[in-house]
Amino acid sequence: EEIEGLNGFNMALSALPSTSSAEANVDELPTRFDGLTIPPLPVSCALVPFARIESRRSTWYFAKTKDDSSGPFHDLTVVIDITDFGHMVGEVEAVVYDEKDVPGARERIGKLIVEIAANGPSVLGVGKLEHYLMINEPDLYEIYVKQE
């Protein structure tokens, strides 16, 4: 489950120790990282960037068949991202509008993943940030692994 936007930010912020923002001089935080402007955060905090990842995304959906149906995966979307450092990761997504539809969507997602994996290389999924840290910041990666 992905949480995006302000809700995701607030959830991440709530996981930080309460002293993080209080002890930091937010005026001294960088405004640029890796040549790009850092967007201002909605609240004052001591978060600073440590990775820059660019990715290209392609999105795939199931086309209707001759009999005008899309089959069991009609409401699923496959998203494939490839990063600027060559890592590729895919996701299967479903949009549900009622909580009661979540178990069925998860089941269909699982079936599609099994079907995709049966027709291609079977590789354990590693996320973009995890892969970036493995290659570029092995010390940070070790800290990340120990936190899981």
Side-chain angles (χ1 to χ4, degrees), residues 111-133:
K111 287 179 181 178
L112 179 57
I113 290 171
V114 167
E115 193 170 309
I116 290 171
N119 294 310
S122 180
V123 181
L124 179 62
V126 175
K128 292 177 281 203
L129 180 58
E130 185 175 359
H131 188 73
Y132 175 91
L133 292 176

Side-chain angles (χ1 to χ4, degrees), residues 33-36 50-54 84-85 132:
F33 179 75
D34 203 17
L36 297 173
F50 62 92
R52 179 173 176 256
I53 300 172
E54 288 185 42
D84 54 340
F85 49 92
Y132 175 91

